[in-house]
Amino acid sequence: MNINQIMETVKMLDDEKLDIRTLTMGISLVDCCDSDGKRARTRIYDKIMRNAGNLVKVGEDLALEYGVPIINKRISVTPISLIAGASRDENYVEYAIMLDKVAKELGINFIGGFSALIQKGYTIGDHRLISSIPEAMRVTERVCSSVCVDRKSTRLNS
């Protein structure tokens, strides 16, 4: 790097408030499916904690190393309608509560995946998740919900 590039970077940080909006970790939960919802939620919790346990620290270390603040740390998971749909649960609010608990324990800003993908069909799991969204958003703080009805999706934050 030459001095002009360094000065331009300093200007972006100081004057233009350069930052990284979000650091996101995606986690597949397909292997957490279970006919017993409680067991599925335990598997989800354990897998997220195991895989994302250091996400905030890594984000802070990167911000410190490169001198660029990272504003949000988040996790995105497999749509819960797909995972919970394998269970006998009729209401999915407990999944949202568990996701919120994980987010708080990890210190992340939000967790996405309390979602349904209905652009190509509407399963019982999708219906149950959509029916659970109002209560799930009311009782959680860091859960992000979405319903993909076409190529665009509608996102709801708690």
Side-chain angles (χ1 to χ4, degrees):
M1 288 187 108
N2 66 40
I3 191 71
N4 290 334
Q5 291 171 317
I6 294 169
M7 294 308 296
E8 183 65 24
T9 302
V10 169
K11 181 178 184 240
M12 287 189 294
L13 288 166
D14 289 342
D15 298 342
E16 300 170 24
K17 306 300 182 212
L18 173 69
D19 63 35
I20 297 173
R21 252 324 98 179
T22 305
L23 173 67
T24 304
M25 174 180 232
I27 301 174
S28 171
L29 300 178
V30 174
D31 58 334
C32 298
C33 290
D34 199 292
S35 60
D36 180 309
K38 185 174 181 180
R39 197 164 41 230
R41 288 187 298 278
T42 298
R43 287 179 177 174
I44 292 167
Y45 176 89
D46 291 345
K47 183 167 187 179
I48 295 171
M49 293 299 286
R50 183 175 60 251
N51 285 281
N54 292 324
L55 181 64
V56 171
K57 182 182 180 335
V58 168
E60 290 168 352
D61 290 350
L62 287 170
L64 191 61
E65 181 178 345
Y66 293 103
V68 180
I70 299 174
I71 306 305
N72 294 301
K73 289 88 176 173
R74 73 177 180 179
I75 295 171
S76 180
V77 299
T78 305
I80 292 299
S81 67
L82 298 174
I83 308 307
S87 75
R88 292 182 293 271
D89 292 343
E90 293 188 17
N91 181 300
Y92 296 167
V93 173
E94 289 299 319
Y95 290 85
I97 291 169
M98 179 272 309
L99 291 173
D100 200 49
K101 178 182 179 198
V102 167
K104 289 174 183 174
E105 289 180 15
L106 291 175
I108 62 169
N109 302 93
F110 56 99
I111 186 163
F114 194 74
S115 306
L117 307 175
I118 61 172
Q119 72 274 19
K120 292 187 179 181
Y122 193 68
T123 68
I124 194 94
D126 296 326
H127 176 73
R128 289 176 177 163
L129 183 122
I130 292 167
S131 296
S132 301
I133 290 174
E135 183 181 355
M137 295 297 96
R138 185 178 56 77
V139 300
T140 62
E141 296 174 16
R142 301 179 188 199
V143 173
C144 181
S145 183
S146 64
V147 178
C148 184
V149 295
D150 196 1
R151 292 182 181 165
K152 301 174 187 171
S153 71
T154 302
R155 187 174 76 187
L156 305 167
N157 295 315
S158 52

